Amino acid sequence: MLLNDLKVVEFATFVAGPGCAAIFADWGAQVIKVESATGDPTRNYFPDTAESPGNPVFSLENRGKRGIVLDTGKPEGREALLAVLKDADIFVTNLRPGALKRARIDFDSLHGELPKLIYASVSGYGLEGAEADLPAFDLTGFWTRSGIAASTIPTDQEPFPCRPGFGDHVTALATASAVLAALHERGRTGIGRLVETSLIRTGAYAIGWDFGVQLRYGEVTTAQPRNERPAATSGFFHSRDERWFCMVPRGPRCFPAIMGAIGRADLASDPRYIPPIANLDDVRALRAILDAAFAALSLAEIGERLNTADVIWSPMATLAEVAADPQARAAGCIVETPDGRGGSFAAPATPARFPGLAHGPAGAAPRLGQHTREVLEQAGLSAAQVEALIAAGVAVTAS
């Protein structure tokens, strides 16, 4: 396995922090998930029972980890966490900065005791500024506050949310890449560092083309209604069999190929329509020609013609279609994940693979407190010390 010599401790809930640690788990790292006695809230989203094994949401973010329960608000709980961290390489958390500081498990409190530890902080709005301690989900910090929603949703439509976990997973990838950079640095210096990512910063980068134009010129045109968009041959179109597809030409040189594909080669040299088109009325006229032509063809016919013309396009697939798509399988989009009850189920893969190396789900997501005893004993606590923590309610084991 790629990262089997790394130990990762995660103290996080929901998606962005656990998602980062899940990527490392899929890549072979030893990951320990620390939870409170109430558990990560994503445990409650879907049933995990003998009749319906495997919570698809919790499992995606936590498969292959070992799980422990500690009350870090108590001194004994903090000391137990430090014992688990003493030989860890990476600590990932998305608890709010203020809560971490009060519990003395923020970076400044830990760095003196654990100088080699790479501390990955995932937050809504960063670690500085008046709003650093505000709570956030990806719908608020990534999608809405970063400018993505306003840049994506046309002004003539009611605002709509991103899908659950969408921005969190982008932030998880950003965090994982930053941690790997810090690991590289530690290989030279022997010292760990604070790594900081946030939903708002990741969102601002994700919408970076538009945001860059805004910063450079002081304005940018974003989500226009379809009939106001200046590129007639780019965007979404509808087939005869009522399927949407997206077409994105590589540039003006694709225009003759598109016109040939719809049987209108006669328009390829018409000066009104050769991109870039200066007159918006001509844009609308050409779009209407394309709409009529595509509406007379099935999606299969459209795909054959556009592929022959070497035009970039894609059907707008439903998730059910992606699940059945042989190319999605060939690209490694789907993996079998253990359900913890002797079976497995299909689940999304993390978005990279390493041909020739074993990687992917190494085990089921842990039950709440499943590995508390073994992890604490491996951290150097005696069996009697572990039992004392359990008796005091500082540590919890699975029932």
Side-chain angles (χ1 to χ4, degrees):
M1 296 290 280
L2 202 67
L3 301 179
N4 59 1
D5 59 340
L6 288 182
K7 178 180 176 181
V8 180
V9 177
E10 168 221 309
F11 191 16
T13 61
F14 285 101
V15 183
C20 169
I23 292 170
F24 291 136
D26 265 16
W27 294 352
Q30 306 165 54
V31 181
I32 296 168
K33 182 180 182 69
V34 182
E35 296 177 81
S36 70
T38 56
D40 189 320
T42 56
R43 287 184 177 277
N44 303 318
Y45 284 7
F46 292 91
D48 180 12
T49 64
E51 295 75 27
S52 179
N55 176 333
V57 171
F58 182 76
S59 177
L60 177 59
E61 316 304 343
N62 296 287
R63 62 198 185 197
K65 301 176 184 178
R66 291 190 292 167
I68 69 173
V69 172
L70 289 175
D71 182 353
T72 58
K74 296 178 179 177
E76 303 93 331
R78 181 184 184 275
E79 290 305 310
L81 176 61
L82 261 62
V84 175
L85 285 171
K86 73 178 185 297
D87 62 345
D89 297 285
I90 302 158
F91 181 53
V92 179
T93 184
N94 63 2
L95 275 66
R96 282 197 263 174
L100 291 166
K101 189 170 185 177
R102 287 189 296 273
R104 295 188 301 114
I105 50 178
D106 58 310
F107 174 75
D108 289 339
S109 298
L110 294 182
H111 187 57
E113 299 175 78
L114 304 165
K116 294 183 179 181
L117 183 67
I118 293 168
Y119 188 114
S121 167
V122 186
S123 64
Y125 302 110
L127 298 180
E128 300 177 11
E131 298 178 74
D133 212 38
L134 286 179
F137 283 127
D138 67 341
L139 176 55
T140 57
F142 176 90
W143 179 254
T144 308
R145 184 73 179 268
S146 73
I148 294 178
S151 300
T152 302
I153 305 168
T155 54
D156 62 340
Q157 294 185 30
E158 180 180 339
F160 55 82
C162 64
R163 297 304 301 156
F166 181 82
D168 285 318
H169 282 154
V170 181
T171 305
L173 284 169
T175 308
S177 63
V179 166
L180 293 176
L183 277 170
H184 179 73
E185 180 194 46
R186 193 185 70 175
R188 298 195 313 269
T189 67
I191 303 298
R193 71 155 51 249
L194 175 64
V195 172
E196 178 200 347
T197 59
S198 63
L199 294 170
I200 190 172
R201 181 167 179 166
T202 306
Y205 176 75
I207 198 70
W209 273 32
D210 285 334
F211 191 34
V213 172
Q214 175 68 47
L215 291 170
R216 177 65 180 83
Y217 299 113
E219 61 180 358
V220 62
T221 301
T222 54
Q224 302 157 294
R226 186 171 187 265
N227 224 24
E228 301 297 321
R229 295 170 193 163
T233 55
S234 181
F236 288 89
F237 299 89
H238 211 227
S239 68
R240 184 185 67 211
D241 44 352
E242 299 184 350
R243 292 295 309 276
W244 285 104
F245 68 94
C246 182
M247 180 172 66
V248 185
R250 283 182 285 256
R253 66 186 179 87
C254 288
F255 181 65
I258 294 171
M259 292 301 100
I262 66 169
R264 293 302 307 269
D266 58 301
L267 298 179
S269 58
D270 190 321
R272 293 175 300 169
Y273 301 138
I274 297 175
I277 305 172
N279 189 309
L280 189 56
D281 287 336
D282 290 336
V283 172
R284 292 170 179 148
L286 179 56
R287 187 178 289 118
I289 292 169
L290 288 163
D291 283 342
F294 288 133
L297 300 170
S298 69
L299 184 66
E301 291 169 330
I302 291 168
E304 182 178 355
R305 293 189 185 198
L306 294 181
N307 285 338
T308 299
D310 198 28
V311 174
I312 296 174
W313 79 284
S314 172
M316 190 170 78
T318 65
L319 291 177
E321 289 167 333
V322 177
D325 186 345
Q327 188 57 48
R329 298 266 177 177
C333 297
I334 300 167
V335 292
E336 285 295 315
T337 298
D339 62 15
R341 299 176 188 272
S344 67
F345 57 94
T350 47
R353 60 181 171 184
F354 308 91
L357 288 178
H359 61 281
R367 299 190 308 278
L368 184 62
Q370 180 178 350
H371 305 99
T372 299
R373 275 195 176 88
E374 71 177 62
V375 168
L376 292 181
E377 290 182 7
Q378 288 172 1
L381 279 70
S382 68
Q385 287 174 311
V386 174
E387 289 304 323
L389 291 175
I390 293 170
V394 175
V396 177
T397 61
S399 56

